[in-house]
Amino acid sequence: MRGQGERGTRWSAAVTCLVALALGTTLLSGCIGATAREDFTRAMAERSGGVSGLLVTRALDAVGERLGTDNPSMRSVHVDGGSRTVTMEVVDPRDPSKLDTYAFHDATLEDPQPILVTGSTSVERDTFRVQEVPVLSSMGGVVRVALGKLGIEDALVRRITVRRGTEGVRVSVEASSARSAGTATFDADGKLLDARRS
Amino acid sequence: MSGLQAFGPKARAVTIVGALVVLVGSMALFTLLFTLIWPGEARYVAELRCDDAHPEAVVVQDTQQTSDGTSTDFTVYCVSPDGDAIDQGWAPSFLALWALHTAAAGVLVALGLVRRRARRRRRLAQA
C-alpha cells in the first residue's frame, strides 16, 4: 500500500511538472534568449554599415570552389547592401572568351547565368584576377574608411562595385542615409583615392 | 531477489530498452517545450559549430500571424564581429540539446538507481 502511495505521489509530481512546463511554454514562449528578426537585421547592419567584408570573401571562395581555382578571373564584383547579395561576372576557366554571372546570397551560390559577349567586348582587357586585387580580402576595412571619410550620419552601404577602369581596378563604395549620400573610391590595394558627397 | 533480477535476461533487456525509449521520447518532448521557453539555450551548443571568423551564435525569432494563430520559428546564426551572418538552421542545435538533456536525465536516473540500490543493500544488511 505504501509503495502504491509513493508511486501515486511521484506520478502526480511528474504531471505537475509537465503542466507547469506547458503553462510556462504558453506564457513565456520565445521570451528568453531569442532576438526578433528586425532587431537582428538592424544590429548586423550597425556592426558593418550594411555590408560585411566576410560576405565578399565567402562569395569569392564559393566561386573559386565551384570553378576549382583559388584565383578566378572576373570582370566585376557587385555587392548590394540591401539584399546582401554579391553578384560576380566570372570568366569561364574552360573557355576564357565566355562570361557567366554568379550570385551569392545567404551562403548559397546560385547556378551561373550566361552573359552575352558582343564583338566590341574585350573580355581579356576588362577582367582581373582575384589575387591581383588585394583589397578584395579586406573589404571590411574599406567599408569602415569609406563611411568615416564620407561622414554621413547613420549611413549604410548601398552598393560596392569592383571593376577595371582605364587606370586599373577601382572599388567604389556608395553609401547613403535618409538625408545624404556619397561615394568613396579606392584602388586595388585599398588606398583611398576619392570621397565625395553627392 | 528484487526488481529486474526477479525476471529472466530477456525480460530484463526488454525492460531496459523500454526505459531507454521512454527516456529518449520524454526528453524529446521536454526539449521541445523547454526550447520554446528558453530558445537562447541553443546558443551554447551552436557556438561549438561556429567557425573562428563567426564566433558568436545568435538565436533569431520569426513570428508570423497565420489563419491558425501565431507561428514562431527559430533560426541560429553564427555571426562575425563585422556583422556577417551564417545560417545554421534550427535542427542541429535542437538535436544537440535533445542529446544533452537526455544524457543529463540519464545520469540523474542512474544516480537515483544507484542510491536506491545502496539504500536497499543497507536495509538488507541491517535486517
Side-chain angles (χ1 to χ4, degrees), chain A residues 141-198:
Chain A
V142 164
V143 167
R144 272 193 297 278
V145 171
L147 292 175
K149 287 289 175 187
L150 290 170
I152 302 169
E153 202 178 332
D154 298 327
L156 288 177
V157 173
R158 301 299 171 194
R159 181 196 289 266
I160 299 175
T161 306
V162 184
R163 187 180 275 282
R164 186 182 284 285
T166 49
E167 293 170 42
V169 175
R170 292 290 180 263
V171 179
S172 76
V173 180
E174 295 169 40
S176 67
S177 68
R179 296 187 182 280
S180 194
T183 304
T185 309
F186 298 81
D187 69 9
D189 295 317
K191 186 181 159 202
L192 179 70
L193 301 173
D194 184 38
R196 63 181 66 184
R197 306 260 286 256
S198 48

Side-chain angles (χ1 to χ4, degrees), chain B residues 48-115:
Chain B
L48 301 173
R49 298 177 64 239
C50 291
D51 61 33
D52 291 343
H54 304 78
E56 185 191 347
V58 179
V59 179
V60 177
Q61 178 183 347
D62 289 291
T63 307
Q64 286 162 339
Q65 297 294 331
T66 63
S67 54
D68 300 326
T70 306
S71 93
T72 304
D73 288 321
F74 299 110
T75 312
V76 178
Y77 289 89
C78 290
V79 302
S80 70
D82 75 343
D84 189 35
I86 296 179
D87 185 342
Q88 297 281 4
W90 177 248
S93 299
F94 178 81
L95 292 174
L97 284 177
W98 180 11
L100 207 67
H101 291 159
T102 305
V107 167
L108 287 178
V109 169
L111 284 175
L113 288 175
V114 167
R115 216 177 117 197

Side-chain angles (χ1 to χ4, degrees), chain A residues 10 18 21 24-25 28-37 40 44 47-48 52-55 58 84 106 140 144, chain B residues 30 33-34 36-40 43 53-54 56 58-62 74-75 77 79-87:
Chain A
R10 272 185 211 154
L18 207 63
L21 196 63
T25 309
L28 299 168
S29 182
C31 281
I32 307 167
T35 307
R37 172 70 61 183
F40 175 70
M44 292 303 106
R47 283 188 188 189
S48 61
S52 155
L54 282 171
L55 175 67
R58 287 198 289 130
R84 294 188 173 214
D106 210 8
R144 272 193 297 278
Chain B
F30 172 81
L33 295 175
F34 197 69
L36 284 175
I37 296 173
W38 184 29
R43 278 177 51 199
H54 304 78
E56 185 191 347
V58 179
V59 179
V60 177
Q61 178 183 347
D62 289 291
F74 299 110
T75 312
Y77 289 89
V79 302
S80 70
D82 75 343
D84 189 35
I86 296 179
D87 185 342

Side-chain angles (χ1 to χ4, degrees), chain A residues 49-68:
Chain A
V51 172
S52 155
L54 282 171
L55 175 67
V56 178
T57 308
R58 287 198 289 130
L60 295 174
D61 287 349
V63 165
E65 199 175 309
R66 177 80 61 90
L67 298 176

